[in-house]
Amino acid sequence: AALHVEAQEQSGGGDAKLTITLGATNLPNKNRFGHVYPYLAIEAQVGTEAHTDAPLFERSRRTQHVPKTTEPVWETIHTTVADLVHGDINRRLRLRVFDYYLGNNEDELLGYCYTNIHELESLSRSKSFLHLKDPEDEEKPAGKIQCLDVRHWILSVYSTWTYTLHVEVFSRVPGDALSVADTAAGRRRASMQMDVDKIVHHHKQ
């Protein structure tokens, strides 16, 4: 006779994966005779200034610039929550849109806004926007950030063990020579063999 028993264990969840696809609409063109080559910089807050308590940000990601458009859709960013926001989806982010300048000229800031991963995911599901502020006049429209697709998920690892129990049953036959130990054990002996097959499944949640 054989009895099969299966058990499952979840190991450490691992790092949360993150994909971000953003675009923009109605970006200002501050070049009197040229075109806009916009790119997006994503910056995570890492602290505050010692004397002013002003937030400090560090650049986490920067997209490629998209040539000659005020309606860009930037490439999808593939990263992790740990890498982008130090494991905290509620950590404050600053999004800044720049106009890329060729040569040695400094890229021009077109607009900025504040958000976090949790809000970006919510806006992505509702197909909503973030309003950009003009760096010179916050009351002046500077376009919108489109939250096209933002999501994070946890990669979990599951291990499954299958146990196979083999049981041999012996009955007493008249005339057999059985020891005292056999009789005391109820004239039954069993041997067990355990085979463990480990199967690793990747599960996204």
Side-chain angles (χ1 to χ4, degrees):
L3 175 65
H4 297 276
V5 180
E6 189 171 279
Q8 191 175 72
E9 177 186 37
Q10 180 178 357
S11 64
D15 194 14
K17 308 300 180 182
L18 177 64
T19 59
I20 301 174
T21 307
L22 301 176
T25 62
N26 301 321
L27 293 178
N29 185 351
K30 297 187 177 183
N31 295 320
R32 183 172 298 179
F33 303 107
H35 298 282
V36 180
Y37 289 69
Y39 67 85
L40 176 69
I42 301 177
E43 302 161 344
Q45 184 172 350
V46 294
T48 57
E49 291 278 3
H51 302 294
T52 65
D53 286 333
L56 289 174
F57 292 88
E58 67 177 11
R59 181 171 293 186
S60 299
R61 285 292 185 277
R62 191 207 118 158
T63 68
Q64 297 295 319
H65 65 269
V66 181
K68 301 180 180 180
T69 182
T70 57
E71 310 280 329
V73 174
W74 294 292
E75 76 273 12
T76 298
I77 296 171
H78 299 276
T79 183
T80 65
V81 173
D83 188 35
L84 189 73
V85 289
H86 306 282
D88 180 7
I89 63 171
N90 293 307
R91 182 180 290 267
R92 196 181 191 195
L93 291 175
R94 181 172 64 186
L95 306 183
R96 295 201 291 173
V97 180
F98 289 88
D99 186 5
Y100 174 72
Y101 283 171
L102 296 172
N104 297 323
N105 293 324
E106 185 177 353
D107 298 341
E108 184 173 12
L109 178 61
L110 299 178
Y112 68 96
C113 65
Y114 298 99
T115 185
N116 56 50
I117 296 301
H118 182 76
E119 182 182 33
L120 287 175
E121 286 186 301
S122 177
L123 293 173
S124 173
R125 289 190 293 268
S126 62
K127 305 302 179 185
S128 299
F129 300 87
L130 287 167
H131 292 271
L132 292 168
K133 297 180 180 180
D134 189 289
E136 299 174 357
D137 182 0
E138 292 189 354
E139 300 301 321
K140 184 179 178 181
K144 301 176 183 178
I145 292 290
Q146 293 178 297
C147 303
L148 300 175
D149 186 20
V150 181
R151 68 184 80 179
H152 85 281
W153 67 93
I154 297 174
L155 183 64
S156 298
V157 179
Y158 291 86
S159 299
T160 301
W161 289 269
T162 301
Y163 299 91
T164 303
L165 179 67
H166 297 280
V167 179
E168 297 178 12
V169 180
F170 298 84
S171 299
R172 184 175 181 178
V173 178
D176 278 356
L178 294 177
S179 68
V180 175
D182 289 331
T183 305
R187 294 167 298 196
R188 182 174 296 175
R189 295 178 300 169
S191 66
M192 178 187 297
Q193 174 184 339
M194 184 178 69
D195 299 317
V196 178
D197 299 320
K198 186 175 181 181
I199 304 171
V200 178
H201 304 284
H202 294 281
H203 172 69
K204 293 182 178 179
Q205 62 181 21

